[in-house]
Amino acid sequence: MFVPSLALGLAGGIWLIVTVPPLLPHPVLSRLMMTLLAFPAVAAAVLAAFASQGFVLETRGEVRSGEVTRVIEHQGKTTSYECVIRYHAVTKAPGTLNCGKSDHVGATVQVAWDPGGLVEPDFAEAKGTYRFFAILAMVSEIALVILGELAVAMGVVLRAAHRVSAARGPGTADGPEAAVGR
């Protein structure tokens, strides 16, 4: 489920890099719009991936109760944690899953996993949690569309103003050179 989100995010990023700079004639304005458009684009892709995983776990997943028996810390460029889970009953549930620094040995947890293996297992959350991520992803997409339309409108207005200024040319009362000659 992460691959489609990554592909869409990559396609959107390439679109931003190719489309926005030619629209806006001033480099500073172009970079500003690229930065403003990048935030909702990345947020939408990440939130959509979380929503997809939550949806799959809620609709197809199985949930089992267990206890954290060990927390393994992995050092690298970033620190990550892996929890070893012991279940209260015999099950095919995963024995380990990614966890956080706040998880501790002895904690009782609910683990959700997809028997089909479409998504990674995770701690079971409240029903409908994926809807929260889906709503945030939609809000990010709407912000991306609005900012994109703003970039296009600004580009059109700035180019039209530039053409009008160039058409008036030097020597007219409204041209920039008129102020120099006075």
Side-chain angles (χ1 to χ4, degrees):
M1 298 307 278
F2 181 70
V3 173
S5 295
L6 184 62
L8 287 173
L10 185 61
I14 292 170
W15 175 83
L16 285 175
I17 292 169
V18 170
T19 306
V20 172
L23 284 175
L24 301 172
H26 198 277
V28 173
L29 187 57
S30 178
R31 282 189 214 110
L32 175 66
M33 285 309 294
M34 289 282 291
T35 303
L36 288 175
L37 288 169
F39 284 116
V42 169
V46 170
L47 292 168
F50 285 146
S52 297
Q53 179 180 10
F55 177 74
V56 169
L57 289 176
E58 188 171 313
T59 57
R60 296 175 35 124
E62 294 184 20
V63 178
R64 293 290 183 267
S65 179
E67 182 179 330
V68 177
T69 58
R70 187 171 161 205
V71 177
I72 303 166
E73 183 176 330
H74 298 285
Q75 296 287 342
K77 287 186 178 182
T78 61
T79 302
S80 63
Y81 300 90
E82 182 179 13
C83 286
V84 178
I85 310 295
R86 181 183 64 216
Y87 296 95
H88 301 299
V90 176
T91 182
K92 293 182 182 179
T96 63
L97 68 143
N98 294 330
C99 57
K101 186 177 185 177
S102 62
D103 293 308
H104 59 280
V105 173
T108 301
V109 294
Q110 298 287 324
V111 177
W113 83 97
D114 175 29
L118 285 178
V119 295
E120 293 292 319
D122 201 358
F123 293 111
E125 298 183 26
K127 288 266 187 199
T129 302
Y130 74 90
R131 288 184 185 103
F132 173 73
F133 290 117
I135 289 168
L136 287 179
M138 286 188 282
V139 167
S140 296
E141 286 291 334
I142 290 168
L144 183 61
V145 168
I146 290 170
L147 287 171
E149 292 297 324
L150 178 64
V152 169
M154 285 174 47
V156 168
V157 168
L158 289 173
R159 287 195 183 277
H162 187 273
R163 284 188 185 130
V164 167
S165 175
R168 289 186 181 159
T172 61
D174 294 334
E177 288 78 14
V180 175
R182 288 185 190 164

